[in-house]
Amino acid sequence: MPFDALRPKITTILANDAESVTQRLTEVCELLQSSIGYYDWVGFYFANEAERTLHLRAFAGEPTDHTVIPFGKGICGQVAESNQNFVVADVKAQNNYIACSMYVKAEIVIPLFKDGKNVGQIDIDSHIADPFSPEDERFLEWVNEQVAEIL
Ligand code: SME
């Protein structure tokens, strides 16, 4: 499904005040994972600033052992410190990478800003090599902006 068709669906999910924020985030993950063929795992991590750790709050795809990630560790932990998008075309080429599944070939992590502060991120793993384009980045930045509105 093209990104433009997903936007209104995401807006509708996030506007549903009858559900908890975590439930709505899980539905966003499920929508993205089931709609975009190369999005094999989709999750939201949020930062605990005091502990300098990221905590998995919602996801779709195979369960992961990596529900808590220290700042600086792996792709996710690096984004917690850099505040920058991190697009990894080939995870094997990364030294500071935490493997969640032997099938993962590529990963994209986009920081989520609330009032200008990096409070979390969306993380997507792909079983396809080098699948992510700048369109994915723009779309996922938009998703995170919508999520920030309900935090
Ligand atoms: N690969 C990530 C860890 C999280 S899993 O992809 C779910 C990383 O290197 O930070």
Side-chain angles (χ1 to χ4, degrees):
M1 189 182 296
F3 294 139
D4 281 347
L6 289 171
R7 288 174 200 258
K9 293 177 188 288
I10 287 167
T11 305
T12 301
I13 291 169
L14 293 176
N16 183 6
D17 290 340
E19 293 184 345
S20 70
V21 170
T22 300
Q23 280 173 313
R24 285 179 263 172
L25 292 178
T26 300
E27 287 175 24
V28 169
C29 292
E30 288 169 348
L31 175 69
L32 295 181
Q33 194 252 3
S34 62
S35 305
I36 301 177
Y38 54 96
Y39 285 13
D40 290 290
W41 189 94
V42 180
F44 286 98
Y45 287 90
F46 286 92
N48 179 320
E49 288 293 333
E51 293 181 4
R52 292 181 53 78
T53 47
L54 292 163
H55 296 257
L56 184 63
R57 181 160 175 188
F59 73 96
E62 289 296 310
T64 175
D65 290 340
H66 302 288
T67 56
V68 181
I69 298 174
F71 283 17
K73 301 289 185 194
I75 308 303
C76 296
Q78 291 177 77
V79 169
E81 294 185 325
S82 73
N83 308 321
Q84 305 283 328
N85 296 350
F86 200 155
V87 183
V88 180
D90 174 9
V91 296
K92 287 197 175 67
Q94 294 292 321
N95 295 323
N96 188 358
Y97 168 71
I98 301 166
C100 280
S101 149
M102 61 187 284
Y103 301 111
V104 175
K105 292 193 170 139
E107 178 161 5
I108 184 169
V109 179
I110 307 291
L112 193 160
F113 298 98
K114 174 77 179 173
D115 300 329
K117 190 170 166 41
N118 180 357
V119 297
Q121 52 193 237
I122 190 167
D123 174 21
I124 297 170
D125 288 341
S126 183
H127 298 175
I128 309 285
D130 195 10
F132 302 114
S133 72
E135 282 70 41
D136 293 273
E137 290 186 71
R138 300 294 88 75
F139 172 65
L140 296 169
E141 287 166 356
W142 178 86
V143 170
N144 282 354
E145 285 166 17
Q146 307 313 303
V147 169
E149 297 287 323
I150 66 162
L151 296 177

